[in-house]
Amino acid sequence: MVSSGEHDYRNFCKLDPNVSSFVRRISAFEVRCMVATLFLVGSGREAPSLVDSLLDVQQCPARPCYDMAPDAPLLLHSIGYPEARLRWTPHADESLSAVAALWRREAEAATLRSAMLLTMRSSLLSARRPTADGVEAKAATHEAKRARREARQQAEAAAGGTRD
């Protein structure tokens, strides 16, 4: 499979005519392409050698037409290292406790942020916005005042004309 270090990832990159070198570390877009490819391999619809083939740009010079993985957060379910032996150290419990405490704090913060955003959303949705009716009502009130003023001026003019 993929070895560590830099590779030519052109078959997993977003097409961009301005980019000339595809040797790099992996981006989020490339992760989605690679996850989709690995899903096909894991589900048996592609051979495991596909990843190595895609990294060999001489063998496969163009990006294949596979769908990308969804952009929802990806969750690593499990990982295994058959050649490695893990040893439990005396400080591992402390590290695990620290990670669990950090996880708990972040989960609480995420829950609070989510509640805050839902509250903000509902208050924004329920907020009244000015409508055209308000403007029309103001215009009608202004027109009525103008008509009363003109009528009063005409009445005054008529009353003044009869005195002479």
Side-chain angles (χ1 to χ4, degrees):
M1 288 298 277
V2 180
S3 63
S4 62
E6 293 184 339
H7 292 283
D8 188 327
Y9 286 101
R10 78 180 65 217
N11 292 326
F12 295 102
C13 292
K14 189 182 294 187
L15 298 176
D16 185 348
N18 298 321
V19 176
S20 59
S21 174
F22 298 94
V23 176
R24 63 178 74 152
R25 300 204 183 278
I26 302 171
S27 74
F29 180 87
E30 293 156 345
V31 167
R32 289 179 59 201
C33 291
M34 291 181 79
V35 166
T37 303
L38 294 173
F39 181 77
L40 292 172
V41 170
S43 63
R45 291 185 271 171
E46 288 287 354
S49 60
L50 174 66
V51 175
D52 289 326
S53 298
L54 290 174
L55 289 173
D56 182 359
V57 294
Q58 299 302 321
Q59 182 181 352
C60 186
R63 183 173 173 254
C65 293
Y66 295 128
D67 291 333
M68 286 193 320
D71 60 353
L74 299 173
L75 174 66
L76 179 60
H77 183 274
S78 65
I79 190 166
Y81 298 98
E83 299 155 4
R85 291 182 173 219
L86 301 176
R87 289 189 220 160
W88 199 257
T89 66
H91 301 291
D93 287 336
E94 294 170 13
S95 298
L96 190 56
S97 295
V99 169
L102 177 62
W103 182 272
R104 204 170 26 259
R105 283 193 307 271
E106 292 299 321
E108 289 170 0
T111 301
L112 289 173
R113 283 191 297 271
S114 176
M116 181 181 68
L117 288 172
L118 286 173
T119 302
M120 289 171 61
R121 180 180 180 267
S122 66
S123 63
L124 285 173
L125 291 175
S126 65
R128 292 187 170 262
R129 291 187 286 156
T131 62
D133 294 338
V135 172
E136 289 173 0
K138 285 182 181 180
T141 301
H142 178 73
E143 184 61 31
K145 285 181 182 178
R146 188 181 64 74
R148 283 194 305 267
R149 186 175 56 247
E150 286 179 0
R152 188 176 55 244
Q153 288 172 346
Q154 287 176 354
E156 287 175 358
T162 55
R163 285 189 207 162
D164 290 337

